[in-house]
Amino acid sequence: MLRNYFKIAFRNLAKNKVYSAINIFGLAVGMAVAMLIGLWMYDELSYNKFHKNYDRLAQVYIHQTFNGSTGTGRAVSIPSMTEIKTKYAANFKYVAMASWNFGHLLVNGDKRFNKQGMYAEPGLPQMLSLTMLKGSTVTTLKEPGSILLSESVAKALFGEADPLNKVVKVDTKYDVRVTGVFADLPFNSDFREVTYFLTWNDYLAAQSWVKESQQQWSNHSFQCYAQVTEQADMDKVSRQIRDVEKKHTSAQENPEYFLHPMSHWHLYSDFKDGKNVGGGIRFVWLFGIIGVFVLLLACINFMNLSTARSEKRAKEVGVRKAVGSLRRQLITQFLSESLLVVGFALILSLLMVVLSLSAFNELAGKQVSLPVGEPLFWAMLLGFSLITGLLSGSYPAFYLSSFNPLKVLKGTFRVGRWAALPRKVLVVVQFTVSITLIIGTIIVFQQIQHAKNRPVGYNREGLLQISMASSLFGKYEPLRDDLLKTGAVYEMSESSSPTTGVWSNQIGFEWEGKDPQAIPLFGTIACTHDFGKTIGWKVIEGRDFSRDYSTDTSAFILNEAAVKLTGLQNIVGKTIRFNSKPYQVVGVVKDMVMESPYEPIKPTIFLMDYGWANLVNVKLMPNVPVEDALKKVEAVFKKYNPESPFDFQFADSEYEAKFRAEERVGKLARTFATLAIFISCLGLFGLASFVAEQRIKEISVRKVLGASVFSLWGLLSRDFVRLVLISFLLAAPIAWYFLSDWLKQYEYRTDIAWWVFGLSGLGATVITLLTVSFQAIKAALTNPVKSLRSE
């Protein structure tokens, strides 16, 4: 019986090739989109699950109150973590201090590579359950002078030779011994960029300020990871460690530590006023909903085309019922047709996914793949196909099987005036979703452009940022002179932060009239002479740092946001004390966008300190070709630092990277909106073809009576345009509600303009007319004699 069902189903598909192709292709596109989004969601939701202790791992975070608001960060102090280790040792299996993930030069003979890695205490590799290829996580970082390499870095440095106990030189300053090799971490791990671990003791020995920080409770410059014991409750332990620092700092700062579980690092990383407000999880929900809707659009096409052709199959149903078929048998018959269509669509969708996966990975910034070797994947795919088949075939099956056989066989069966209503509702649903996605895509693009057009306050063009090797410290003047002599460099300076970030935030500032209870936090950037000229900042009050004033080593330049925070009027010439040392304000510069382009400008103070600066800023001559200029700049840097490769970043490229997440969302939304419109138009094309076929005699009569092609085109197009306009009226408020809520996460945001809705509605209408017009004009041009010959 089942075999017979599928045989008849196949014959029906072969008989109606156009409608079958529309159904299969539309469902295939919808299923392919759903599969790609499913793979993306799985990758997001399984982030960091590679680490075996995933459920017990956490990073220590801190809430602090500055400038009247509570901020949350990962930077902690060494004394506080030492107290957590000793006072609450029973709750933890491991507690490990770590540096930030920095780039270091690794050298073995003539092989030199700048790679990302971190200093860490011995417990961290064990916490992360690294897959050890050589050595052991238990002993690898216990001895000073040790290094644990990733497999790829070990091969880059030593080839196929055994790297254990081999020597690697770090930053051309000191040697370390390879004590272990671990398998490269997967792409969906927050530690994927960590390619080696150095010992914490070497960090203390290499950096004097780090050693001093062991006694400084307020120096939050480090990271700390922890693994709670099997018996411990993470929330309870988090509450216990909350106040470890309060008695050592001011009450106004109100530092509160807590454990942020590894399960929340990737998708719940955003905090506002000391509360977790989500993060990447909103994109998981967003694209999950989009995937469901795109698949639903494809299913609606199947429903519409199946029910639209009901009169064609009415006699078949009547005959089957007359010879004894039960309704449940007819339902099974029609569902088998649906499942056959879905089966063909599944094969085609898998082919689409395979062909588009590399492009999708590039678009989404992922490295997902089809897990064809996993039985669970095929089981889920089968279940997914079954649900799709039942979803798309259930309504047509119940509708077609409900026909009265007596009326059908007597020729008195008519579908009725309301029979088309469900199809119209489904078309409205399709275009409501599509128009909402179009509006969303435009608003996301607007928001990105709004932020990109924000005045940044300095000149990014031709500005290089280069990390300072140890051999460059103390050689500012000769390095600058040599660079200027090349004729390819306009100016050079050094600073402690790039123009695209503020790496240090400080308290301890006092001035006349300051509220004694307030603890203002300022971004603090040390720089050299010529910094302002190099980056092209705009001095709006006072003057720039100058070699004509020897007192500028005790001078401040503030940005506008910093001046506003102090509340001082005519601030130039006034004194601000920093850690009890007096500094005179010599200038005010226009606000510069150095961090997120979507957020308010951070109050920032610039001071002149050659010893603190660790970045070289080079401004290229605008009239020299960039390639030639870079060769000349590289030659100068090689003169002072021959052992290190010449690594640099363009400031404009680093600034563009700040838009990467939003641009990725925008591109994905644009892609899915395009596919949603395509699927909707595919169904519309099929419906228009059916309507034209159904009304061909009416069109012929009208044509004989003198109707023009244009009037017949309008007759056939009018109903579809009306449905799209209803869809627009529903989509506009839905889009406005959700996009207004989405924009609230940005302090610096665009307004939702009325023309966006008008353009989207107009665009949908034009697309509808183009889709319907082919069938409408084809019907209007048909020779009426052929249609009316039998009348």
Short mmCIF file of all heavy atoms in Angstrom, two decimals, residues 178-201:
data_model
loop_
_atom_site.label_atom_id
_atom_site.label_comp_id
_atom_site.label_asym_id
_atom_site.label_seq_id
_atom_site.Cartn_x
_atom_site.Cartn_y
_atom_site.Cartn_z
N VAL A 178 61.13 23.93 25.94
CA VAL A 178 59.82 23.34 25.61
C VAL A 178 59.58 22.13 26.50
O VAL A 178 60.34 21.15 26.48
CB VAL A 178 59.76 22.91 24.12
CG1 VAL A 178 58.40 22.28 23.81
CG2 VAL A 178 60.01 24.10 23.22
N THR A 179 58.52 22.19 27.30
CA THR A 179 58.20 21.09 28.22
C THR A 179 56.92 20.35 27.84
O THR A 179 56.52 19.42 28.53
CB THR A 179 58.06 21.63 29.66
OG1 THR A 179 57.10 22.69 29.67
CG2 THR A 179 59.39 22.14 30.19
N GLY A 180 56.26 20.80 26.76
CA GLY A 180 55.04 20.12 26.35
C GLY A 180 54.49 20.67 25.05
O GLY A 180 54.79 21.81 24.65
N VAL A 181 53.70 19.86 24.36
CA VAL A 181 53.02 20.27 23.12
C VAL A 181 51.57 19.83 23.23
O VAL A 181 51.27 18.68 23.57
CB VAL A 181 53.68 19.62 21.88
CG1 VAL A 181 52.91 20.01 20.60
CG2 VAL A 181 55.14 20.03 21.76
N PHE A 182 50.65 20.76 22.94
CA PHE A 182 49.22 20.43 23.00
C PHE A 182 48.59 20.61 21.62
O PHE A 182 49.05 21.40 20.79
CB PHE A 182 48.50 21.28 24.04
CG PHE A 182 48.51 22.77 23.77
CD1 PHE A 182 47.46 23.38 23.08
CD2 PHE A 182 49.55 23.57 24.22
CE1 PHE A 182 47.46 24.75 22.83
CE2 PHE A 182 49.56 24.94 23.98
CZ PHE A 182 48.51 25.53 23.28
N ALA A 183 47.53 19.86 21.37
CA ALA A 183 46.80 19.96 20.10
C ALA A 183 46.16 21.33 20.00
O ALA A 183 45.66 21.88 20.99
CB ALA A 183 45.74 18.87 20.02
N ASP A 184 46.18 21.90 18.80
CA ASP A 184 45.57 23.21 18.58
C ASP A 184 44.13 23.22 19.07
O ASP A 184 43.37 22.26 18.86
CB ASP A 184 45.58 23.58 17.10
CG ASP A 184 46.99 23.88 16.60
OD1 ASP A 184 47.91 23.93 17.42
OD2 ASP A 184 47.16 24.06 15.38
N LEU A 185 43.76 24.31 19.72
CA LEU A 185 42.40 24.41 20.26
C LEU A 185 41.41 24.69 19.14
O LEU A 185 41.74 25.35 18.14
CB LEU A 185 42.36 25.53 21.30
CG LEU A 185 43.13 25.20 22.58
CD1 LEU A 185 43.34 26.44 23.43
CD2 LEU A 185 42.41 24.15 23.39
N PRO A 186 40.17 24.20 19.27
CA PRO A 186 39.18 24.39 18.20
C PRO A 186 38.80 25.86 18.03
O PRO A 186 38.99 26.68 18.93
CB PRO A 186 37.98 23.56 18.67
CG PRO A 186 38.15 23.44 20.15
CD PRO A 186 39.63 23.44 20.40
N PHE A 187 38.22 26.15 16.86
CA PHE A 187 37.86 27.53 16.53
C PHE A 187 36.82 28.09 17.49
O PHE A 187 36.81 29.28 17.78
CB PHE A 187 37.34 27.59 15.09
CG PHE A 187 37.20 28.99 14.56
CD1 PHE A 187 38.31 29.69 14.11
CD2 PHE A 187 35.96 29.61 14.52
CE1 PHE A 187 38.18 30.98 13.63
CE2 PHE A 187 35.82 30.90 14.03
CZ PHE A 187 36.94 31.59 13.59
N ASN A 188 35.93 27.24 18.00
CA ASN A 188 34.89 27.73 18.90
C ASN A 188 35.29 27.59 20.37
O ASN A 188 34.51 27.15 21.22
CB ASN A 188 33.54 27.07 18.64
CG ASN A 188 33.56 25.57 18.88
OD1 ASN A 188 34.63 24.97 18.96
ND2 ASN A 188 32.38 24.98 19.00
N SER A 189 36.52 27.98 20.65
CA SER A 189 37.03 28.09 22.03
C SER A 189 37.54 29.50 22.23
O SER A 189 38.18 30.07 21.33
CB SER A 189 38.16 27.09 22.27
OG SER A 189 38.85 27.40 23.48
N ASP A 190 37.28 30.08 23.38
CA ASP A 190 37.77 31.43 23.67
C ASP A 190 39.29 31.47 23.78
O ASP A 190 39.88 32.56 23.80
CB ASP A 190 37.15 31.96 24.96
CG ASP A 190 35.76 32.53 24.73
OD1 ASP A 190 35.58 33.23 23.72
OD2 ASP A 190 34.86 32.29 25.54
N PHE A 191 39.93 30.31 23.85
CA PHE A 191 41.40 30.25 23.95
C PHE A 191 42.04 29.86 22.60
O PHE A 191 43.21 29.52 22.57
CB PHE A 191 41.81 29.23 25.01
CG PHE A 191 41.52 29.67 26.42
CD1 PHE A 191 40.31 29.38 27.00
CD2 PHE A 191 42.45 30.38 27.15
CE1 PHE A 191 40.02 29.78 28.29
CE2 PHE A 191 42.18 30.79 28.45
CZ PHE A 191 40.95 30.49 29.02
N ARG A 192 41.25 29.94 21.51
CA ARG A 192 41.76 29.44 20.22
C ARG A 192 42.99 30.20 19.74
O ARG A 192 43.81 29.64 19.01
CB ARG A 192 40.67 29.49 19.17
CG ARG A 192 40.25 30.89 18.74
CD ARG A 192 39.21 30.84 17.62
NE ARG A 192 38.83 32.17 17.15
CZ ARG A 192 37.85 32.88 17.67
NH1 ARG A 192 37.13 32.38 18.67
NH2 ARG A 192 37.56 34.07 17.19
N GLU A 193 43.12 31.48 20.14
CA GLU A 193 44.27 32.26 19.68
C GLU A 193 45.50 32.09 20.56
O GLU A 193 46.57 32.61 20.26
CB GLU A 193 43.89 33.74 19.60
CG GLU A 193 42.85 34.04 18.52
CD GLU A 193 42.53 35.51 18.41
OE1 GLU A 193 43.01 36.28 19.27
OE2 GLU A 193 41.81 35.91 17.48
N VAL A 194 45.35 31.36 21.68
CA VAL A 194 46.49 31.11 22.57
C VAL A 194 47.29 29.95 21.97
O VAL A 194 46.82 28.82 21.94
CB VAL A 194 46.02 30.76 23.99
CG1 VAL A 194 47.22 30.48 24.89
CG2 VAL A 194 45.18 31.89 24.56
N THR A 195 48.48 30.25 21.51
CA THR A 195 49.30 29.21 20.86
C THR A 195 50.46 28.74 21.72
O THR A 195 51.21 27.86 21.31
CB THR A 195 49.84 29.73 19.51
OG1 THR A 195 50.63 30.90 19.75
CG2 THR A 195 48.69 30.08 18.56
N TYR A 196 50.61 29.32 22.91
CA TYR A 196 51.63 28.85 23.84
C TYR A 196 51.34 29.43 25.23
O TYR A 196 50.62 30.42 25.37
CB TYR A 196 53.05 29.25 23.40
CG TYR A 196 53.23 30.73 23.20
CD1 TYR A 196 53.57 31.58 24.25
CD2 TYR A 196 53.05 31.30 21.94
CE1 TYR A 196 53.72 32.94 24.06
CE2 TYR A 196 53.19 32.66 21.74
CZ TYR A 196 53.53 33.48 22.80
OH TYR A 196 53.66 34.83 22.61
N PHE A 197 51.89 28.77 26.23
CA PHE A 197 51.80 29.25 27.61
C PHE A 197 53.21 29.35 28.18
O PHE A 197 54.02 28.43 28.05
CB PHE A 197 50.99 28.27 28.48
CG PHE A 197 49.54 28.18 28.12
CD1 PHE A 197 49.11 27.24 27.18
CD2 PHE A 197 48.61 29.02 28.70
CE1 PHE A 197 47.77 27.15 26.84
CE2 PHE A 197 47.26 28.94 28.36
CZ PHE A 197 46.84 28.00 27.43
N LEU A 198 53.49 30.50 28.80
CA LEU A 198 54.75 30.71 29.52
C LEU A 198 54.45 30.71 31.02
O LEU A 198 53.31 30.92 31.43
CB LEU A 198 55.39 32.03 29.10
CG LEU A 198 55.86 32.12 27.65
CD1 LEU A 198 55.98 33.56 27.20
CD2 LEU A 198 57.20 31.40 27.49
N THR A 199 55.46 30.53 31.84
CA THR A 199 55.21 30.41 33.29
C THR A 199 54.97 31.77 33.92
O THR A 199 55.52 32.80 33.49
CB THR A 199 56.38 29.72 34.01
OG1 THR A 199 57.50 30.62 34.04
CG2 THR A 199 56.78 28.43 33.32
N TRP A 200 54.14 31.76 34.96
CA TRP A 200 53.82 32.99 35.69
C TRP A 200 55.07 33.55 36.37
O TRP A 200 55.25 34.78 36.45
CB TRP A 200 52.74 32.69 36.72
CG TRP A 200 52.25 33.89 37.47
CD1 TRP A 200 52.49 34.21 38.78
CD2 TRP A 200 51.43 34.95 36.96
NE1 TRP A 200 51.88 35.39 39.11
CE2 TRP A 200 51.21 35.86 38.02
CE3 TRP A 200 50.86 35.21 35.72
CZ2 TRP A 200 50.44 37.02 37.86
CZ3 TRP A 200 50.09 36.35 35.56
CH2 TRP A 200 49.90 37.24 36.62
N ASN A 201 55.95 32.69 36.84
CA ASN A 201 57.18 33.16 37.48
C ASN A 201 58.06 33.93 36.51
O ASN A 201 58.73 34.90 36.89
CB ASN A 201 57.97 31.97 38.05
CG ASN A 201 57.32 31.40 39.31
OD1 ASN A 201 56.63 32.13 40.02
ND2 ASN A 201 57.52 30.11 39.56
#
